[in-house]
Amino acid sequence: MEGDFNRDGKLDLAVADVASNTVSVLLNNGNGKLDLAVSNGGSNTVSILPGNGDGTFGPAVNFAVGNPAGIAAGDFNGDGHPDLAVANFASDTVTVLLDTATTENTPLTINGITAALAPGDGDDALSMSLSVAHGTLALHSSSGLSGTLTGATLSFTGSQSAISTALASGVIYTPANEYEGADTLTVTATDT
């Protein structure tokens, strides 16, 4: 993985070594902070190692996910903080780890979730499930969908078009009262 880990304007390189269970960082010299995310397939977790600003990292904080096959970073809920999307190999799900660094119970809108059927599927029906452990979810728009549309788990069916429209309008995540920390958004899609 490449990134400017020490924020000196030059790309650095981080390499995970599965055999030794270590991560090596090759730096250009400088100063700054950037965290490192590592998928741990054997333990079904993702580790976040907070950057110390000098090219070294603090102790890992582990988050349970499925069987991680890949990680992508992005601001998925538009709050200005980097979040992680983890593709889970065995369960065909995506886990989204939101950076919910807030002490308020402020609802966040999650954008960027999409759903599509395989080409040549023959029908247009899709079933989806979205769930969180420490809060509630709701859809900005749910026209054309049926099922459970608010709560800790959303389970709904509809046409690909209706589901795509609902997801494009955004998913509202509200942290549980007084909860501080990361939460996991699990997304499952099934062709019905």
Side-chain angles (χ1 to χ4, degrees):
M1 176 177 127
E2 63 181 45
D4 187 4
F5 295 111
N6 56 3
R7 295 197 181 186
D8 62 354
K10 300 175 185 174
L11 287 180
D12 306 313
L13 181 64
V15 180
D17 184 348
V18 175
S20 67
N21 205 19
T22 62
V23 175
S24 300
V25 179
L26 306 171
L27 286 179
N28 290 325
N29 293 323
N31 196 1
K33 292 184 179 181
L34 188 64
D35 299 340
L36 179 66
V38 179
S39 65
N40 306 307
S43 65
N44 294 336
T45 62
V46 168
S47 298
I48 307 297
L49 292 87
N52 293 326
D54 60 0
T56 64
F57 297 91
V61 177
N62 296 318
F63 297 92
V65 295
N67 185 1
I71 300 175
D75 184 5
F76 301 120
N77 58 2
D79 67 354
H81 299 286
D83 308 308
L84 292 179
V86 182
N88 300 307
F89 177 73
S91 62
D92 292 330
T93 62
V94 175
T95 301
V96 178
L97 300 171
L98 296 175
D99 183 348
T100 57
T102 179
T103 58
E104 303 172 16
N105 294 331
T106 306
L108 306 169
T109 299
I110 303 167
N111 296 306
I113 302 172
T114 60
L117 294 169
D121 177 67
D123 68 10
D124 191 33
L126 192 61
S127 176
M128 287 199 77
S129 173
L130 290 80
S131 62
V132 292
H134 303 287
T136 59
L137 299 169
L139 296 170
H140 274 289
S141 170
S142 59
S143 179
L145 303 180
S146 61
T148 304
L149 301 173
T150 60
T153 299
L154 307 182
S155 296
F156 50 89
T157 59
S159 69
Q160 178 180 340
S161 175
I163 288 177
S164 293
T165 299
L167 294 174
S169 72
V171 177
I172 304 165
Y173 167 72
T174 305
N177 193 26
E178 302 301 322
Y179 178 74
E180 294 182 27
D183 203 346
T184 301
L185 170 67
T186 302
V187 180
T188 306
T190 307
D191 182 8
T192 57

